């Protein structure tokens, strides 16, 4: 079996984790938990893989790193970052948790490119000991050379046993009809957009209606970028399936402490420590002023 591009740029470590090397950059995986609402409580349901670049030992912002990469290298870097996340997920995440990994549909313009990338991904999953059904592939609906290419790419992912999440819904040129065509398993709402909608009663009503519409179609919803307790409370009230953000847990570099959080585990504390906190969503808002649609009220 041929060696994938991603594996060729990987360094293995004695603790079971891996780092990537691309030119002058060292790349590490970070994982952030995604929590599900269930019977008034929160439990860890999944983790999103996030890339963390370093140059000469100093952290760099991901946009700065990707901004230095020539367009022709983007496909290879995509393969490297996914490979890194999957290997590290196999080494340091709970075995039953789902793993969200990002794809940029704009680089998958040809079916042969798609097929090669998915063959390589299956190889890495086998090496990492991860069931493909645990993988959720995040795609941004607007980023594609054409709508037809986007739909074909999503169908190829689904045919390989992966679940589909549309990322950053509500940003830029999001289209509800495109969601109906893509038929994703999950929609992740753009953090800035949901925060803006939560600031007013009318906005929150619209948000709740959209969540209900997706959930009625069997599409689970994730609110990203939840950083304050009042946002968490409104997310639960809206009917969203899952939440992700600093108020619950910050990303951790691999090796993480997250292996202890198996299915049904409670979230870490809101301050990002590794000590479990109360599982009630309201508990995450302690020591914060209450708000009503973004307006502070007396605690």
């Amino acid at each position: 079996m041929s060696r994938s591009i991603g594996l060729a740029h990987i360094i293995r470590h004695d603790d079971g984790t891996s780092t990537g090397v691309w030119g002058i950059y060292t790349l590490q995986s970070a994982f952030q938990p995604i929590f599900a609402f269930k019977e008034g409580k929160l439990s860890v349901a999944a983790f999103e893989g996030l890339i963390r670049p370093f140059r000469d030992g100093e952290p760099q912002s991901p946009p700065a790193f990707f901004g230095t990469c020539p367009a022709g290298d983007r496909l290879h870097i995509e393969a490297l970052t996914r490979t890194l996340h999957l290997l590290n997920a196999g080494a340091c995440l709970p075995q039953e948790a789902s793993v969200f990994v990002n794809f940029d549909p704009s680089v998958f313009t040809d079916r042969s490119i798609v097929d090669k990338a998915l063959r390589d991904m299956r190889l890495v999953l086998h090496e990492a000991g991860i069931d493909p059904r645990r993988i959720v592939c995040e795609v941004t609906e607007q980023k594609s050379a054409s709508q037809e290419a986007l739909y074909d790419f999503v169908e190829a992912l689904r045919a390989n046993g992966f679940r589909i999440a549309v990322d950053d819904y509500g940003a830029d040129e999001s289209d509800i009809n495109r969601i109906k065509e893509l038929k994703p398993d999950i929609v992740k709402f753009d953090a800035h957009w949901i925060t803006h909608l939560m600031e007013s009663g009318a906005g929150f009503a619209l948000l709740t209606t959209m969540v209900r519409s997706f959930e009625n179609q069997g599409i689970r919803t994730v609110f990203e970028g939840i950083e304050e307790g009042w946002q968490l409370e409104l997310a639960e009230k809206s009917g969203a399936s899952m939440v992700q953000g600093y108020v619950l847990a910050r990303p951790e570099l691999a090796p993480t402490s997250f292996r202890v959080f198996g299915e049904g585990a409670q979230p870490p504390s809101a301050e990002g420590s590794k000590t479990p906190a109360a599982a009630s969503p309201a508990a995450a808002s302690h020591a914060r002023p209450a708000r009503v649609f973004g307006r502070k009220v007396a605690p």
Side-chain angles (χ1 to χ4, degrees):
M1 188 177 294
S2 61
R3 187 171 178 81
S4 76
I5 292 171
L7 287 171
H9 291 264
I10 293 292
I11 298 173
R12 311 301 180 99
H13 301 290
D14 292 341
D15 62 2
T17 62
S18 302
T19 56
V21 176
W22 190 267
I24 60 175
Y25 291 93
T26 300
L27 306 177
Q28 292 184 250
S29 289
F31 293 99
Q32 185 173 29
I34 298 172
F35 296 88
F37 290 111
K38 186 176 182 181
E39 298 177 352
K41 296 183 182 293
L42 285 166
S43 60
V44 177
F47 296 85
E48 181 179 1
L50 304 165
I51 201 66
R52 294 294 183 260
F54 292 82
R55 180 176 177 177
D56 297 326
E58 295 296 322
Q60 309 293 311
S61 74
F65 164 68
F66 287 115
T68 66
C69 301
D73 290 344
R74 186 59 190 252
L75 183 66
H76 300 320
I77 294 169
E78 282 253 329
L80 173 57
T81 57
R82 278 192 304 274
T83 298
L84 193 59
H85 295 330
L86 295 174
L87 292 175
N88 284 319
C92 60
L93 294 183
Q95 293 185 357
E96 69 276 8
S98 297
V99 182
F100 283 63
V101 292
N102 286 277
F103 284 81
D104 179 355
S106 67
V107 301
F108 295 98
T109 55
D110 182 89
R111 187 54 188 254
S112 63
I113 295 174
V114 175
D115 290 343
K116 172 64 166 58
L118 295 182
R119 282 197 302 270
D120 288 348
M121 189 167 168
R122 289 196 300 269
L123 171 65
V124 174
L125 287 169
H126 177 75
E127 183 162 340
I130 296 176
D131 187 321
R133 290 173 295 184
R134 289 176 57 194
I135 302 303
V136 180
C137 301
E138 290 192 35
V139 299
T140 304
E141 31 142 358
Q142 307 98 330
K143 292 183 178 179
S144 180
S146 70
Q147 292 305 299
E148 183 179 357
L150 175 63
Y151 297 149
D152 288 347
F153 177 57
V154 167
E155 283 307 309
L157 292 173
R158 188 175 282 119
N160 277 266
F162 306 129
R163 284 174 288 159
I164 310 300
V166 168
D167 195 17
D168 293 337
Y169 184 77
D172 301 325
E173 301 298 325
S174 287
D175 186 341
I176 191 69
N177 292 320
R178 199 154 44 212
I179 299 296
K180 291 179 180 178
E181 291 290 335
L182 290 172
K183 299 180 178 66
D185 302 278
I186 297 165
V187 169
K188 298 185 78 177
F189 283 55
D190 177 71
H192 297 294
W193 189 60
I194 61 173
T195 298
H196 174 70
L197 291 180
M198 285 177 174
E199 294 285 344
S200 70
F204 181 70
L206 172 61
L207 188 60
T208 301
T209 298
M210 297 188 70
V211 167
R212 186 180 300 120
S213 174
F214 285 135
E215 297 284 343
N216 287 342
Q217 297 173 59
I219 300 172
R220 302 189 73 191
T221 50
V222 181
F223 282 10
E224 297 183 284
I226 302 299
E227 297 187 354
E228 297 191 46
W230 66 271
Q231 295 173 312
L232 183 61
E233 292 170 4
L234 290 183
E236 183 183 24
K237 186 177 180 180
S238 76
S241 302
M242 293 175 277
V243 284
Q244 178 181 2
Y246 283 8
V247 74
L248 292 166
R250 292 176 177 268
E252 286 188 16
L253 290 174
T256 72
S257 66
F258 295 139
R259 184 177 282 279
V260 300
F261 294 108
E263 187 173 359
Q266 297 177 1
S269 69
E271 286 72 29
S273 72
K274 299 176 183 180
T275 303
S280 167
S285 64
H286 72 285
R288 298 172 185 269
R291 296 197 182 198
V292 178
F293 302 120
R295 297 187 297 275
K296 291 185 180 180
V297 298

